[in-house]
């Protein structure tokens, strides 16, 4: 089942990153990467047409209290959402508390290991502090970067599904799952992962 999540008062840190809730003052940074062709499509949305579109989505990030802003050197360069997973597609998880991760990173910062660093920190938070039993993460079959991030963070392939993008295109999505290590939540995001 989907666990309740509220990250509005949560700030997480890594060596290079601050993961925090979004603020209205993040609009320019958000629009800067969200308008770039090829970034949003990897996650199922089209590039933002204007600042107004980014402002509407930014307000959702703030009000829904489930999406981290990824800050690097004082600049927001991406997002990491703790999304609701589709309970109808995955009824076998009804007895477990979980969510689905979704993430986007500015194209300017691809290939630097930033997203695995962010995901691993959020995994530790969700397993150690929030007590989730499992996390799902999906990627379109052609999105090799997201596949690599998930593999580096210990997610294991679970099932192929079909999803619809925000712009109405049906796409194959590979869903992977990561369970909290039994009896030792401290292992989340490290080497001891199991399916």
């Amino acid at each position: 089942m989907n666990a309740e999540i509220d990250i509005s008062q949560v700030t997480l840190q890594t060596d290079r990153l601050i993961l925090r809730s979004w603020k209205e003052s993040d609009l320019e940074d958000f629009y800067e990467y969200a308008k770039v062709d090829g970034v949003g499509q990897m996650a199922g949305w089209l590039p933002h047409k204007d600042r107004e579109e980014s402002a509407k989505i930014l307000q959702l990030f703030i009000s829904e209290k489930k999406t981290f802003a990824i800050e690097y050197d004082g600049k927001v360069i991406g997002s990491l959402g703790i999304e609701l997973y589709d309970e109808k597609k995955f009824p076998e998880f009804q007895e477990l508390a979980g969510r689905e991760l979704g993430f986007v990173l500015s194209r300017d910062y691809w290939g630097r290991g930033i997203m695995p660093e962010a995901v691993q920190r959020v995994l530790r938070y969700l397993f150690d502090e929030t007590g989730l039993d499992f996390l799902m993460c999906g990627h379109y079959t052609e999105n090799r970067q997201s596949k690599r991030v998930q593999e580096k963070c210990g997610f294991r392939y679970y099932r192929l599904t079909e999803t619809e993008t925000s712009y109405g295109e049906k796409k194959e999505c590979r869903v992977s799952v990561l369970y909290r290590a039994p009896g030792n939540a401290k292992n989340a995001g490290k080497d001891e992962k199991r399916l």
Side-chain angles (χ1 to χ4, degrees), residues 160-186:
L160 194 65
T161 65
E162 185 178 78
T163 61
E164 188 171 328
T165 66
S166 66
Y167 47 92
E169 183 180 340
K170 292 195 183 302
K171 297 185 104 173
E172 276 192 338
C173 182
R174 290 176 54 94
V175 175
S176 295
V177 175
L178 176 63
Y179 294 91
R180 181 174 61 197
N184 188 358
K186 302 288 184 202

Side-chain angles (χ1 to χ4, degrees), residues 38-46 102-104 140 143 165-167 171:
V39 173
Q41 291 97 322
M42 295 291 208
W45 47 270
L46 294 173
F103 44 81
V104 175
Y140 299 134
N143 187 345
T165 66
S166 66
Y167 47 92
K171 297 185 104 173

